[in-house]
Amino acid sequence: MLEELKSAKKVVGIKQLRKALNAGSVKKVFIAEDADPLLTDPIAERCRQLNIPVISVPTMKQLGAACSICVGAAVAAIL
């Protein structure tokens, strides 16, 4: 599932994901389970409202690596 993030057009991070959700260009969202729920819960709720699939990833480190960045990522999305 995470392999999709390596080659797909994507956004990484809370701010960028919020902008993409508002623009209506998100197809699938990935949320790290160990990220701060105060940040990720509103994203998950918005995805439910918009019927966008949400995939849980065990750690921020794994999600960051899947996005080809050197730091952890709380959220990412395929556009």
Side-chain angles (χ1 to χ4, degrees):
M1 202 53 83
L2 290 177
E3 299 82 33
E4 295 176 79
L5 285 168
K6 293 198 187 292
S7 60
K9 184 171 179 173
K10 64 186 170 282
V11 292
V12 181
I14 299 285
K15 285 183 185 177
Q16 296 301 317
L17 180 50
R18 277 194 200 124
K19 288 178 190 176
L21 283 169
N22 290 336
S25 57
V26 175
K27 291 186 178 141
K28 189 184 295 185
V29 172
F30 296 83
I31 297 179
E33 293 172 6
D34 64 344
D36 185 349
L38 290 175
L39 298 174
T40 59
D41 286 352
I43 297 289
E45 178 58 32
R46 185 76 176 127
C47 290
R48 276 191 286 278
Q49 292 169 355
L50 297 172
N51 293 319
I52 296 170
V54 175
I55 312 302
S56 289
V57 179
T59 67
M60 290 176 61
K61 186 175 181 177
Q62 285 177 314
L63 186 53
C67 294
S68 303
I69 61 173
C70 298
V71 294
V75 296
I78 293 178
L79 304 178

